[in-house]
Amino acid sequence: MRSYKTSQALFERAQHHIPGGVNSPVRAFKSVGGHPLFIKRAKGAYLYDEDGNRYIDYINSWGPMILGHAHPPVVQAIQAKAADSTSFGAPTELEIEMAELIKKMVPNVDLIRMVNSGTEACMSAIRLARGFTGRNKIIKFEGCYHGHADAFLVKAGSGLATLDIQSVPGVQSYVAQDTITVPYNNLEEVQKVVRQYGKEIAAIIIEPVGGNMGCIPPAPGFLQGLRELCTQQGIIFILDEVITGFRLTRGGAQELYRIEADLVTYGKIIGGGMPVGAFGGKKEIMERIAPLGNVYQAGTLSGNPIAMIAGYTLLNELNNTPDLYTALNEKSKLLCEGLSEILKRKGIAHTINQVGSMLSVHFGAGVVRDFESAKACDGELFNRFFHHLLQRGVYLPPSAFESWFISNALSVDDIHQTLAAVEEFEA
Ligand code: KE4
């Protein structure tokens, strides 16, 4: 049996100083039970906790570590850059190079603004859409999570689903009433809402692949249907690619699904593990952002040299790793096929959703295509599955309402070790 003594003691101590002992709720193991592990270091596909236990990592910092932890070129670039100071609060050539690199990799971005988190990116994109259209309402999808800005904390996924927080104290009612939520993959419902509120709607914001209710792929034609609706009604179509950006392909979901956003948001991978987000899109919309326009958005540390060099180096590594996305997709497929074969043989009803190197396992019969069907799955069984694997050195996201993320540091042997641990699971 693994010892967790140090993590337990650290969690005890942390709770005296930090709300819930964590700096982000979903890390707290609240829904899976037990206490969080305190991580000492990580390298490649592995995490090492404070008790010296090693884990195969399927969280990868919730997405950023697509090439594995402590990827040498990223670490070396940060170390070198830090020697020249960590922040100036003034423009740098590196920020131009970063914007030029992103524009080379993703479609439909004429101008891009760097911020410090996915939340900031999505919050700013919504403000810009409202400022550009002069309209107030937004449509988001149940179970999607776009960060913790007030407008998004309505029937959201990720930590809110994990903790079953359906309405958040402090979010004023007038804010919530301008956020209309509809079920994911339900185009008819969106069409109904647009018929009712048409010219009041500033934006539709969506995760092109749901990543915060488990992994939920878009139904065929769903994204295209939203695109057409937005074009017809003058609604700004915002793709939240904080998870999918640079993960599904170099060009993200826009490239994979050949879908054109008006605005797109990024985070996670774009910072290489440092706090970075970004929002960008069509020139006619983005030029409304201050100081060019009057839609104000700002940030002391936006585009700071350490975050930029980390993200810039990682994005270049993505471009210079031959057949990266083929490798990531093959590893994901190998894991999913193995999981399905074992769970089927054990007679455990399940669904596995996978898009590229993001995936999730849902316990229960039937297709999981939206928040309702994700919530209808057997959460208690997931929790037992989570701890069974954790005990055997496999670290899943501590919630059924999250995606697993594959890094390219994961080896076939790691996948076999994971499957061997699943083999011992008894429902
Ligand atoms: P951040 O503000 O946490 O950088 O990004 C918010 C965000 C925006 N959009 C999408 C699609 C996201 O998934 C996120 C954040 N993802 C969660 C996990 N699914 C972050 C983990 C956490 O909250 O600790």
Side-chain angles (χ1 to χ4, degrees):
M1 277 292 268
R2 289 175 169 232
S3 152
Y4 298 120
K5 275 206 318 294
T6 313
S7 279
Q8 276 169 318
L10 287 170
F11 188 47
E12 182 52 42
R13 189 173 134 210
Q15 293 176 81
H16 293 293
H17 312 293
I18 304 168
V22 291
N23 281 313
S24 198
V26 77
R27 303 174 190 171
F29 279 31
K30 240 174 154 34
S31 68
V32 292
H35 64 80
L37 302 181
F38 280 67
I39 303 303
K40 188 181 189 76
R41 65 185 183 88
K43 179 72 183 151
Y46 311 120
L47 294 169
Y48 299 86
D49 69 15
E50 288 286 354
D51 290 284
N53 301 308
R54 190 195 84 162
Y55 302 87
I56 300 170
D57 185 9
Y58 287 102
I59 305 185
N60 284 296
S61 180
W62 304 97
M65 300 300 161
I66 189 169
L67 295 185
H69 289 281
H71 187 61
V74 174
V75 175
Q76 286 145 23
I78 292 169
Q79 288 170 331
K81 184 59 79 172
D84 293 338
S85 181
T86 50
S87 181
F88 312 126
T92 59
E93 182 183 11
L94 180 55
E95 290 163 86
I96 308 169
E97 291 167 325
M98 179 70 162
E100 288 168 341
L101 176 59
I102 293 167
K103 284 176 65 176
K104 257 197 242 129
M105 294 174 78
V106 304
N108 309 314
V109 170
D110 300 328
L111 294 173
I112 188 162
R113 168 62 60 87
M114 308 311 294
V115 295
N116 302 286
S117 69
T119 295
E120 263 195 273
C122 295
M123 175 179 87
S124 308
I126 288 292
R127 180 184 307 142
L128 174 57
R130 286 173 161 154
F132 181 78
T133 60
R135 304 175 183 179
N136 293 330
K137 292 193 185 304
I138 63 167
I139 293 176
K140 76 173 282 291
F141 293 83
E142 291 161 13
C144 282
Y145 178 72
H146 306 291
H148 64 89
D150 285 359
F152 302 131
L153 296 181
V154 182
K155 289 191 192 163
S158 186
L160 291 110
T162 301
L163 300 173
D164 194 18
I165 299 175
Q166 288 315 309
S167 73
V168 176
V171 175
Q172 291 156 296
S173 53
Y174 75 89
V175 171
Q177 74 194 23
D178 275 338
T179 299
I180 303 164
T181 57
V182 287
Y184 200 83
N185 278 327
N186 189 328
L187 189 58
E188 296 71 48
E189 202 52 39
V190 185
Q191 288 162 339
K192 216 162 88 190
V193 168
V194 170
R195 274 197 300 276
Q196 186 177 356
Y197 295 103
K199 297 300 178 206
E200 293 180 63
I201 299 170
I204 292 178
I205 184 167
I206 189 165
E207 295 176 56
V209 176
N212 289 289
M213 34 185 160
C215 172
I216 308 270
F222 177 56
L223 296 175
Q224 285 71 12
L226 295 177
R227 173 65 274 173
E228 281 155 28
L229 211 45
C230 287
T231 305
Q232 287 157 15
Q233 299 289 334
I235 295 170
I236 304 295
F237 188 35
I238 304 173
L239 286 184
D240 174 353
E241 292 225 48
V242 168
I243 284 182
T244 56
F246 312 100
R247 175 161 285 280
L248 301 183
T249 66
R250 273 179 195 82
Q254 287 195 96
E255 177 185 308
L256 184 69
Y257 294 107
R258 294 194 175 70
I259 191 85
E260 185 176 319
D262 295 314
L263 293 176
V264 57
T265 61
Y266 296 112
K268 296 182 194 279
I269 290 172
I270 197 175
M274 296 299 288
V276 181
F279 63 101
K282 294 195 161 77
K283 187 168 184 291
E284 57 164 338
I285 305 173
M286 285 299 294
E287 60 190 9
R288 300 290 292 275
I289 285 287
L292 210 46
N294 54 6
V295 178
Y296 198 72
Q297 181 281 325
T300 302
L301 296 174
S302 298
N304 85 71
I306 308 305
M308 288 298 98
I309 202 64
Y312 182 76
T313 306
L314 183 61
L315 294 185
N316 271 317
E317 285 292 293
L318 300 185
N319 288 325
N320 301 332
T321 307
D323 305 323
L324 169 64
Y325 293 94
T326 309
L328 284 167
N329 297 347
E330 279 168 4
K331 289 173 184 178
S332 306
K333 221 160 137 280
L334 180 66
L335 177 64
C336 290
E337 284 166 359
L339 284 168
S340 205
E341 190 279 321
I342 296 168
L343 294 173
K344 219 175 278 172
R345 186 160 27 85
K346 288 175 174 286
I348 299 175
H350 68 283
T351 295
I352 297 176
N353 287 346
Q354 178 229 336
V355 181
S357 57
M358 56 190 284
L359 63 109
S360 54
V361 176
H362 303 265
F363 291 112
V367 174
V368 177
R369 64 186 312 269
D370 57 19
F371 196 29
E372 283 316 306
S373 47
K375 284 193 293 186
C377 291
D378 187 339
E380 197 278 324
L381 186 52
F382 175 85
N383 297 346
R384 284 197 288 115
F385 184 66
F386 171 84
H387 281 290
H388 169 87
L389 291 181
L390 193 68
Q391 267 295 333
R392 289 158 182 78
V394 176
Y395 197 118
L396 303 185
S399 163
F401 299 108
E402 295 290 354
S403 279
W404 307 14
F405 295 109
I406 303 295
S407 88
N408 202 39
L410 189 75
S411 68
V412 171
D413 185 47
D414 295 325
I415 294 170
H416 289 158
Q417 278 183 49
T418 303
L419 295 174
V422 175
E423 194 63 69
E424 295 172 25
F425 179 61
E426 295 307 327

